Amino acid sequence: MSTLEVLVRDFLAHLTIEKGSSPHTVAAYRRDLARYVTFLTSTGTESLANVTESDVADFLAAVRSGDDGGHPLAASSAGRTIIAVRSLHRFAHREGAIPSDVAAAVRPPNTRDALPHALSIDDVGALLASVTGEEPAAMRDRALLEVLYGTGARISEAVGLALDDIDAEERTVRLFGKG
């Protein structure tokens, strides 16, 4: 077993035993780090101490394009992979196995956050029409839906409303949310 493989084995044991990481996390890190070790070995690198920041960046580019022999990864999957690599380097540095953490400066690729899609007017009408009845729970649910729709509040903001936050005469609601 190579020194790289021993270090990965020790790191995965650290994740399992000391950090209590889930089996799914450990399995994902195992796959990602096996790909990393294969990449490093193919470039002639036998020790993590010989890895440069450029090597880590080259690995990231290779997994994005599939040039390392594996399937090309989407930005989110490549991000998870590079986080595993950075965690390995941080662990190795803390344990004294390498003199510096060269992976710390390599950032995961940006993943664009998708904006939420607004409901159509017909969908909102159908949602409001689905809550009927005169019982208190139905009236509460309808009022909550109307507050959410009418104000654009987040659910946590609407649920956090207190009676003092509602001015029935002015027909206003005072919401407290992010920022």
Side-chain angles (χ1 to χ4, degrees):
M1 187 177 277
S2 74
T3 58
L4 279 171
E5 292 167 329
V6 169
L7 193 55
V8 169
R9 183 198 63 202
D10 293 348
F11 173 62
L12 294 173
H14 164 77
L15 287 178
T16 303
I17 297 165
E18 295 179 32
K19 292 196 72 167
S21 298
S22 80
H24 295 294
T25 299
V26 174
Y29 274 44
R30 180 177 288 113
R31 282 188 308 274
D32 295 338
L33 294 175
R35 192 168 178 174
Y36 184 54
V37 168
T38 300
F39 174 82
L40 291 176
T41 304
S42 74
T43 65
T45 304
E46 297 294 325
S47 169
L48 212 56
N50 298 333
V51 175
T52 66
E53 182 181 328
S54 178
D55 293 329
V56 178
D58 289 347
F59 173 68
L60 176 58
V63 296
R64 289 284 284 140
S65 65
D67 288 346
D68 69 328
H71 294 293
L73 297 181
S76 57
S77 297
R80 187 205 63 232
T81 299
I82 208 66
I83 294 299
V85 168
R86 288 175 53 186
S87 297
L88 172 67
H89 279 264
R90 185 172 40 251
F91 169 80
H93 179 62
R94 273 197 322 259
E95 294 294 312
I98 57 175
S100 63
D101 181 1
V102 297
V106 179
R107 299 284 173 235
N110 286 336
T111 56
R112 294 186 353 217
D113 292 334
L115 293 175
H117 297 283
L119 295 174
S120 70
I121 293 174
D122 291 338
D123 289 342
V124 172
L127 183 62
L128 291 173
S130 71
V131 183
T132 59
E134 295 298 319
E135 57 276 353
M139 293 172 64
R140 177 208 58 209
D141 291 349
R142 173 135 182 137
L144 182 59
L145 287 172
E146 288 188 15
V147 166
L148 288 168
Y149 176 69
T151 63
R154 293 175 174 85
I155 292 173
S156 61
E157 295 167 348
V159 169
L161 282 173
L163 203 50
D164 293 340
D165 298 328
I166 302 168
D167 186 339
E169 283 183 24
E170 294 292 321
R171 299 178 53 94
T172 60
V173 175
R174 184 173 171 157
L175 291 167
F176 297 92
K178 285 186 171 183

